[in-house]
């Protein structure tokens, strides 16, 4: 058996032990040396089932599914830095992906997220530098800080679903090959550096629900030729929100609000790029 296979089995055993301890009322982190004490301190309740089942397909594409219908989340750092994995399939049933759960899968080239997914926490999928495509579930509500940061090979359009109401700082920063970004109606706040350095992005579409954009939220849109913002009231922005914006970019805003955009703080510096639609 290959060393990589042995390491995979060892990590699976570790995760199953951790899950069993936590589900039975104990508490344990990621250090093997704490496991024996944690097991000794457990109450005498019946043993809980493992939280998830892990299977492997061709080329180490990992498929993870809930053990049963009571399992809704994947815990903090549960699958962090699985360098052998070349892809991930999350079966339906999961609603929450916790902090750093799949951080650092630097060899993963593909991902399929659970259709049931509601929350992607901080740094959950950060550092997937080889993944080429991403489709966000239609019911997703929150994306945490740095959740999808560092996806430098992501080359598919990013579509933010209308269900999303919370977007974290630097959520998609560094996705330098993304060709287009579309945010559906619903999201109000785009935080600092959320879409920084989308250097290949040619088109951005923002909904009427947007009320503010943080510093460097769209910094580095050097290839963008069309930026659409449908908010009737100019969202608040900072002096750096559009840092390094392509000088030929056309900013399209509602015709009824064109004058307001051209006079608004920090928007006024881009007045010559604006047209009404």
């Amino acid at each position: 058996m290959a060393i990589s296979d042995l390491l995979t089995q060892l990590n699976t055993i570790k995760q199953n032990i951790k899950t069993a301890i936590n589900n039975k009322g104990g508490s344990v982190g990621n250090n093997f040396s704490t496991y024996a004490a944690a097991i000794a301190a457990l109450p005498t309740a019946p043993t809980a089932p493992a939280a998830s089942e892990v299977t492997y397909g061709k080329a180490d594409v990992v498929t993870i599914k809930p053990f049963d219908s009571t399992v809704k989340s994947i815990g903090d750092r549960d699958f962090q830095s699985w360098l052998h994995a070349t892809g991930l399939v999350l079966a339906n049933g999961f609603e929450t992906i916790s902090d750093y759960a799949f951080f650092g899968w630097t060899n993963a080239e593909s991902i399929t997220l659970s259709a049931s997914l509601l929350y992607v926490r901080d740094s959950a999928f950060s550092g997937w530098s080889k993944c080429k495509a991403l489709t966000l579930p239609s019911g997703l509500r929150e994306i945490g800080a740095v959740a999808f940061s560092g996806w430098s090979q992501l080359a598919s359009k990013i579509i933010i679903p209308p269900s999303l109401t919370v977007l974290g700082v630097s959520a998609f920063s560094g996705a330098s090959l993304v060709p287009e970004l579309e945010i559906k109606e619903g999201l109000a706040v785009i935080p600092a550096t959320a879409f920084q350095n989308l250097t290949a992005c040619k088109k951005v579409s923002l909904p009427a629900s947007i009320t503010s954009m943080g510093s460097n939220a769209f910094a580095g849109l050097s290839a963008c030729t069309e930026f659409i913002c449908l908010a009737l009231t100019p969202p608040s922005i900072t002096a750096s929100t559009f840092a390094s914006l392509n000088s030929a970019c056309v900013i399209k805003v509602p015709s009824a609000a064109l004058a307001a955009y051209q006079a608004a703080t920090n928007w006024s510096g881009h007045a010559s790029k604006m047209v009404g639609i």
Side-chain angles (χ1 to χ4, degrees), residues 66-82:
F67 187 86
D68 58 35
S69 61
T70 66
V71 177
K72 302 294 185 184
S73 65
I74 292 178
D76 293 359
R77 302 180 186 273
D78 272 358
F79 299 94
Q80 178 178 338
S81 299
W82 278 31

Side-chain angles (χ1 to χ4, degrees), residues 127-204:
W128 284 46
S129 56
K130 291 185 180 179
C131 200
K132 298 175 176 62
L134 174 67
T135 300
L136 297 174
S138 60
L140 192 62
R141 298 176 186 173
E142 295 184 15
I143 296 176
V146 204
F148 295 97
S149 178
W151 285 44
S152 57
Q153 295 300 307
L154 180 61
S156 64
K157 177 181 177 179
I158 296 175
I159 301 176
I160 303 296
S163 56
L164 196 83
T165 57
V166 177
L167 182 67
V169 170
S170 297
F172 291 92
S173 64
S176 57
L177 296 183
V178 167
E180 184 176 347
L181 167 66
E182 180 180 2
I183 300 179
K184 299 290 189 180
E185 186 71 24
L187 187 66
V189 177
I190 299 175
T193 63
F195 299 102
Q196 184 176 32
N197 290 331
L198 271 64
T199 52
C201 187
K202 296 182 180 299
K203 180 179 180 180
V204 176

Side-chain angles (χ1 to χ4, degrees), residues 89-163:
V89 176
L90 288 177
N92 288 340
F94 292 114
E95 295 181 355
T96 301
I97 307 300
S98 301
D99 295 351
Y100 294 89
F102 296 98
F103 174 87
W105 283 37
T106 53
N107 291 309
E109 298 181 0
S110 65
I111 186 170
T112 301
L113 296 174
S114 312
S116 53
L117 195 60
L118 301 176
Y119 309 100
V120 176
R121 303 301 190 192
D122 295 353
S123 297
F125 296 99
S126 181
W128 284 46
S129 56
K130 291 185 180 179
C131 200
K132 298 175 176 62
L134 174 67
T135 300
L136 297 174
S138 60
L140 192 62
R141 298 176 186 173
E142 295 184 15
I143 296 176
V146 204
F148 295 97
S149 178
W151 285 44
S152 57
Q153 295 300 307
L154 180 61
S156 64
K157 177 181 177 179
I158 296 175
I159 301 176
I160 303 296
S163 56

